Amino acid sequence: MRFEDLELIDPILEALKDKNYTEPTSIQEKAIPLVLERNDVLGCAQTGTGKTAAFAIPIIQLIHQREKNTNGKPTLRTLILTPTRELAIQIDENITAYSKATVVKNTVIFGGVKQMKQVERLRKGVHILVATPGRLLDLITQGIINLNTIKIFVLDEADRMLDMGFIHDIKKLLKLLPVKRQSLFFSATMPDNILSLSNKILNNPKKVEVNAVSSAAETIQQYIYYTNRTSKKELLLYILEDKRIDQVLLFSKTKRGADRIARNLKKSRISAAAIHGDKAQNQRQKALKLFKSGEVRVLVATDIAARGIDIQKLRYVINYDIPNIAETYVHRIGRSGRAGEEGVAISMCEPEENIFIRDIEKLINKKLNKIENNPFPQTDKPMTEKEKKEWNKEKQRRKQEFFANRKKARSNSRYNR
Ligand code: AMP
């Protein structure tokens, strides 16, 4: 199928040509006609499948056709709600690209930065607003945004929204939207709570579904190093000796871990930056920009910061640790190999994580390729339940000792004053 077959208008076809999109992806083929026909849509799809264009293109077309002869300040017609700031920015950038030859105006708002610039842009008027829930509610409360004129509402990555505790915000926003509207609802998974939320939002929806979560893994070559916890630092340096790995997204379980890994890499003269929830928004954007432009070779991210990130032609993902939820693994590696590109995922597994690999292999229904020629092989054994209990007790004891010593040191210094 070609984009021309979807009855898209010339200004949009032109923009798609400039983006080098030759044919629609499966979700685009299914969803674009449904949205153009004003249906509510329930989409089961994850990022990487071309989902953004699947809803953005028909929305732009509907607004352009309606507004092209209207003069004056644009009226807000579409609200797109997404869980993370990075995703919001990315969707807004895509809309700007797809709509560049139309009359459509768009902008994005998100928290973590001053609101002044966002408010200035809103005051000039836009047709499409991409937003994260917190900042949106904030600006509504201040009377800067009013949702009365919304005709189309998009809820993107609904399952992530619920994971991140946005349910109350979403419920509040639903009350503020006009009852008569077109709604599009996308989620990578459809557990019961998501289905019941979709029932509250959608009216007689058409369902579209592409690729189950686990199938994202099919185009990506997946390798695994079984190693020891204490060898991971050296193993990573060994992996990065391969200069073909010139741009790699590396996942760390914790924020502190992410900072530590980035610091260690820099000590070894490998350019790296960390991106996670404790970093200021401008730091996060700067790190992402440097990574996308190739100035930073390794971007170390936690799962929360990496959700939905789309890096064109990203080939390599490294799992510095193995997530305990198998779906998270699939989301992580899905950052590479997007839109049909080839991807390579390398996982570094310590003994305690062996059981997570079994879950992952069950979910994706294949075995990860074990690297045999590994200078840092796994020699330690996973701890038994008894050893784990003892180790946890020991950790607790060391923590208490640490705090007790700190307290002592503080009070001593007071006496010395
Ligand atoms: P998304 O799932 O919306 O995050 O899109 C994933 C990636 O696919 C983005 O880099 C898009 O620019 C790209 N993309 C979307 N639609 C197409 C298409 N029809 N042909 C080629 N690339 C596309």
Side-chain angles (χ1 to χ4, degrees):
M1 177 170 290
R2 301 168 320 148
F3 278 111
E4 283 79 358
D5 303 326
L6 294 171
E7 296 183 19
L8 298 179
I9 53 176
D10 285 342
I12 291 180
L13 290 174
E14 256 170 55
L16 296 178
K17 212 176 269 166
D18 288 351
K19 286 284 279 179
N20 287 327
Y21 293 1
T22 45
E23 55 184 44
T25 64
S26 164
I27 184 112
Q28 291 162 4
E29 214 177 291
K30 292 178 190 159
I32 291 175
L34 293 173
V35 181
L36 285 177
E37 285 159 16
R38 307 289 188 135
N39 290 290
D40 277 15
V41 170
L42 174 60
C44 189
Q46 55 189 113
T47 46
T49 53
K51 179 176 51 131
T52 312
F55 63 76
I57 289 172
I59 290 174
I60 293 166
Q61 176 147 328
L62 289 171
I63 296 176
H64 178 77
Q65 285 172 328
R66 189 190 154 108
E67 309 280 340
K68 64 180 177 219
N69 298 320
T70 337
N71 293 323
K73 191 174 141 181
T75 309
L76 187 59
R77 294 292 179 208
T78 294
L79 171 65
I80 300 168
L81 213 52
T82 88
T84 67
R85 301 160 187 176
E86 281 77 13
L87 193 56
I89 293 169
Q90 201 168 285
I91 293 175
D92 183 61
E93 282 170 357
N94 280 333
I95 293 176
T96 304
Y98 304 144
S99 67
K100 64 179 181 186
T102 69
V103 300
V104 172
K105 298 273 177 268
N106 54 291
T107 195
V108 57
I109 59 170
F110 46 83
V113 291
K114 293 214 174 83
Q115 68 176 49
M116 202 169 69
K117 275 196 192 142
Q118 297 177 357
V119 173
E120 266 170 34
R121 180 79 188 88
L122 285 165
R123 291 233 157 95
K124 285 188 192 143
V126 292
H127 299 107
I128 302 179
L129 176 62
V130 188
T132 53
R135 178 55 58 94
L136 176 62
L137 278 167
D138 201 4
L139 295 187
I140 291 174
T141 313
Q142 294 177 45
I144 294 163
I145 296 175
N146 182 322
L147 302 182
N148 287 345
T149 52
I150 295 288
K151 298 269 180 212
I152 306 179
F153 169 57
V154 183
L155 186 68
D156 193 25
E157 305 250 322
D159 49 354
R160 304 275 143 253
M161 292 254 194
L162 296 198
D163 277 359
M164 293 167 76
F166 282 134
I167 184 70
H168 295 297
D169 286 352
I170 296 174
K171 284 188 175 158
K172 264 188 227 163
L173 286 164
L174 285 174
K175 287 197 191 123
L176 300 173
L177 285 164
V179 178
K180 196 165 167 287
R181 57 166 198 259
Q182 183 180 6
S183 304
L184 315 176
F185 185 108
F186 290 93
S187 183
T189 52
M190 285 287 162
D192 287 347
N193 54 356
I194 292 285
L195 273 178
S196 83
L197 180 64
S198 76
N199 287 336
K200 290 199 184 95
I201 295 177
L202 301 166
N203 178 19
N204 198 14
K206 302 275 187 217
K207 297 194 176 69
V208 289
E209 197 170 339
V210 291
N211 297 345
V213 170
S214 52
S215 65
E218 270 165 27
T219 54
I220 300 167
Q221 300 170 45
Q222 298 164 67
Y223 299 99
I224 182 159
Y225 284 91
Y226 286 99
T227 190
N228 295 330
R229 184 190 187 80
T230 45
S231 316
K232 282 192 174 176
K233 198 169 132 189
E234 282 77 23
L235 176 59
L236 178 62
L237 294 176
Y238 168 78
I239 293 171
L240 293 176
E241 278 171 16
D242 184 343
K243 292 290 177 281
R244 280 171 302 184
I245 307 180
D246 56 352
Q247 189 190 40
V248 54
L249 181 60
L250 183 143
F251 286 97
S252 150
K253 197 158 41 189
T254 64
K255 300 174 209 171
R256 276 172 65 186
D259 285 333
R260 196 186 51 238
I261 296 166
R263 227 175 16 244
N264 285 338
L265 287 172
K266 281 192 252 181
K267 270 189 211 152
S268 302
R269 296 172 185 275
I270 293 173
S271 59
I275 176 170
H276 54 66
D278 279 356
K279 296 266 181 196
Q281 186 56 26
N282 56 4
Q283 283 178 311
R284 280 162 68 167
Q285 267 159 263
K286 190 174 158 212
L288 199 55
K289 202 166 138 208
L290 290 175
F291 183 60
K292 284 185 177 180
S293 69
E295 280 164 81
V296 158
R297 183 175 170 205
V298 186
L299 185 66
V300 188
T302 55
D303 288 307
I304 204 85
R307 241 160 228 169
I309 287 183
D310 174 36
I311 298 146
Q312 290 254 321
K313 303 216 187 294
L314 176 71
R315 207 172 139 84
Y316 295 95
V317 165
I318 294 180
N319 291 310
Y320 194 85
D321 36 49
I322 312 298
N324 57 354
I325 298 168
E327 278 83 1
T328 303
Y329 170 86
V330 182
H331 280 297
R332 284 181 176 190
I333 68 166
R335 299 301 115 220
S336 76
R338 291 162 74 76
E341 295 283 335
E342 268 181 37
V344 178
I346 302 167
S347 295
M348 300 163 64
C349 177
E350 63 191 55
E352 299 305 318
E353 296 168 333
N354 290 357
I355 46 167
F356 305 148
I357 292 296
R358 264 175 255 148
D359 287 346
I360 289 166
E361 291 182 330
K362 211 157 112 195
L363 177 74
I364 63 174
N365 201 17
K366 70 172 164 192
K367 276 200 112 44
L368 308 187
N369 296 311
K370 180 179 169 192
I371 303 277
E372 299 293 348
N373 190 8
N374 172 3
F376 304 97
Q378 198 175 90
T379 48
D380 297 348
K381 292 267 170 295
M383 279 191 247
T384 61
E385 282 307 312
K386 193 168 161 224
E387 283 168 337
K388 250 189 228 168
K389 251 189 213 154
E390 273 164 18
W391 172 232
N392 280 338
K393 247 193 227 158
E394 173 62 17
K395 266 200 298 196
Q396 202 61 27
R397 194 194 60 75
R398 287 189 197 177
K399 210 164 152 187
Q400 278 165 359
E401 191 180 82
F402 171 80
F403 283 114
N405 283 342
R406 203 163 66 168
K407 222 167 171 186
K408 230 191 274 164
R410 276 207 198 121
S411 50
N412 278 344
S413 65
R414 266 191 218 115
Y415 290 134
N416 293 341
R417 245 187 252 149

